[in-house]
Amino acid sequence: MKKFSISDIECLTNIKAHTIRVWEQRYCLITPKRTETNIRYYDDQDLRKFLNISLLLDSGLRISEIAKMSNKEISSRILKLSECEVNGCSCTINSLCNAMLALDELMFNQTMENSITSLSIEQTMLDVIYPFLHKVGMMWQVGTINPAHEHFITHLIKQRLIAAIHSIETVSSKVARKYMLFLPEGETHEISLLFANYLIKSRGHHVLYLGQNLPLDDLEEVASFYDPDYIITFLISSTHFTCPNQLVQKMLETLPRWTLLVSGSLVLNNTIEPHERLKVVRHVPELIDFITNDTEVNNLYFTC
DNA sequence: GTGCGTTCAAAGTGATTAAG
DNA sequence: CTTAATCACTTTGAACGCAC
């Protein structure tokens, strides 16, 4: 079980360490374990609870109200929140949820194919798969599903994306750009990376796909050889990166000649220091827009 | 009923000191 | 340098009373 310091929790949840201590004192919200020298530390379960509390606070609840709730009530509120956020394609998403809970591969694939037929693969990713994965994340957070469920469905989604990527004919174009795609060491959530691969190839650009869990030290050599216009990565797994900003800054140092595009839920929830070679993409439509419409390869982006 | 001012509690944060 | 603990302060919003 992973141990988190109070500053790790601050980084991952955006709740100030000071505030966490005050909550502990005023509401006995979470009583952390202590080291021999009286330093607080937290485990996975505590992190989940903090993430849940953070979501409920964002939804407008007060900390005094949350403090009165049982863990069960917090969980059900979170699940209700995820229901509210899912619009339009809620039927398909519910069907995917059921298939996941029943570990029913046939049902999952059929639901996905039906959606792709009626919406296209891109729209299915946007309107169905991402909201579904968001819901899966919530379900994991409150303990409704276990890692096996998550592995089961991610495998199926990845398979479908790989098939879609292979079905694209490679077109050589004078204006084609080169993208290098990778996930850093410890990061295994590959769906967004595969989807980016699909988007780039379908727009007639070139991709060097390096996949998941890649040590940073190996990247510079590959990038020097391939010399991409952009390097794209995603940060999603909060249990691996205690401070996303530090990791991004390290990537920029390791890759000193290229523009880095970073996306994923961790950059959505954390403050990433701006850099002249860094583009932070917080939402998928922004990524699609960037890949589709970027005509300014030499223009660099500043984000806040 | 509406608008305004006052009071109070809740919540978050700053500053400080001490300890490791 | 980081963390713990504490006090004091600010901000915010709800509740209330009062005049119109």
Side-chain angles (χ1 to χ4, degrees):
Chain A
M1 189 166 284
K2 187 157 180 167
K3 282 185 184 178
F4 301 93
S5 71
I6 195 161
S7 50
D8 291 340
I9 298 289
E10 175 175 337
C11 233
L12 292 168
T13 62
N14 272 348
I15 302 169
K16 290 259 183 296
H18 191 11
T19 306
I20 292 170
R21 292 191 196 103
V22 172
W23 285 354
E24 185 188 318
Q25 200 179 40
R26 289 181 186 164
Y27 311 107
C28 301
L29 211 54
I30 288 171
T31 311
K33 288 113 209 128
R34 304 261 182 168
T35 64
E36 284 176 4
T37 52
N38 205 32
I39 306 294
R40 292 173 177 83
Y41 67 89
Y42 303 86
D43 60 22
D44 294 336
Q45 254 186 326
D46 297 329
L47 171 64
R48 280 192 204 183
K49 186 159 181 182
F50 277 120
L51 289 167
N52 288 340
I53 290 168
S54 177
L55 278 172
L56 291 181
L57 283 173
D58 287 345
S59 79
L61 278 172
R62 301 168 72 174
I63 190 65
S64 54
E65 294 171 303
I66 299 169
K68 286 180 207 152
M69 292 179 189
S70 65
N71 286 346
K72 211 175 161 185
E73 197 176 341
I74 290 177
S75 300
S76 72
R77 291 262 191 161
I78 294 287
L79 289 177
K80 260 187 211 158
L81 270 183
S82 70
E83 295 292 338
C84 295
E85 284 170 13
V86 169
N87 45 30
C89 301
S90 57
C91 256
T92 312
I93 292 163
N94 282 340
S95 179
L96 290 177
C97 275
N98 289 337
M100 173 184 69
L101 291 169
L103 300 173
D104 188 335
E105 182 175 337
L106 192 67
M107 181 180 172
F108 194 92
N109 282 336
Q110 270 177 357
T111 310
M112 203 160 44
E113 274 326 305
N114 289 344
S115 178
I116 291 168
T117 308
S118 64
L119 292 177
S120 81
I121 190 148
E122 276 180 37
Q123 218 51 44
T124 296
M125 284 302 291
L126 280 175
D127 295 348
V128 178
I129 300 298
Y130 277 111
F132 167 67
L133 290 173
H134 181 65
K135 193 170 174 176
V136 168
M138 297 267 204
M139 288 166 93
W140 170 81
Q141 214 164 293
V142 300
T144 310
I145 58 165
N146 60 42
H149 290 104
E150 202 195 333
H151 289 184
F152 168 71
I153 54 110
T154 50
H155 173 67
L156 295 178
I157 297 168
K158 276 159 67 176
Q159 268 189 332
R160 187 60 187 85
L161 277 170
I162 289 165
I165 292 163
H166 282 310
S167 70
I168 301 168
E169 279 184 45
T170 311
V171 188
S172 197
S173 151
K174 279 183 185 169
V175 293
R177 296 186 294 277
K178 287 158 81 181
Y179 292 81
M180 189 169 110
L181 272 57
F182 81 101
L183 295 180
E185 206 164 8
E187 181 61 78
T188 55
H189 292 77
E190 210 181 348
I191 288 175
S192 290
L193 198 74
L194 282 167
F195 185 47
N197 188 350
Y198 172 83
L199 290 169
I200 295 163
K201 280 190 83 179
S202 67
R203 267 74 174 168
H205 302 299
H206 301 291
V207 179
L208 178 64
Y209 190 84
L210 301 175
Q212 62 184 31
N213 203 13
L214 207 79
L216 273 187
D217 298 337
D218 301 344
L219 276 177
E220 213 270 338
E221 201 183 327
V222 184
S224 292
F225 183 77
Y226 184 67
D227 196 27
D229 293 301
Y230 296 105
I231 298 174
I232 299 184
T233 194
F234 292 84
L235 307 181
I236 293 150
S237 180
S238 60
T239 49
H240 286 100
F241 313 118
T242 43
C243 207
N245 184 46
Q246 274 177 12
L247 181 66
V248 171
Q249 302 309 320
K250 202 181 161 199
M251 283 181 191
L252 287 163
E253 270 174 41
T254 314
L255 303 162
R257 290 197 285 119
W258 301 275
T259 299
L260 181 67
L261 191 147
V262 186
S263 190
S265 52
L266 282 188
V267 303
L268 180 68
N269 300 325
N270 284 276
T271 313
I272 305 292
E273 219 175 288
H275 189 284
E276 57 177 10
R277 287 186 290 108
L278 175 69
K279 177 169 174 61
V280 178
V281 173
R282 292 179 202 278
H283 302 284
V284 187
E286 219 182 304
L287 177 72
I288 297 177
D289 189 52
F290 178 81
I291 294 168
T292 310
N293 301 321
D294 172 44
T295 51
E296 323 162 68
V297 178
N298 296 316
N299 268 9
L300 301 176
Y301 294 81
F302 293 86
T303 55
C304 52

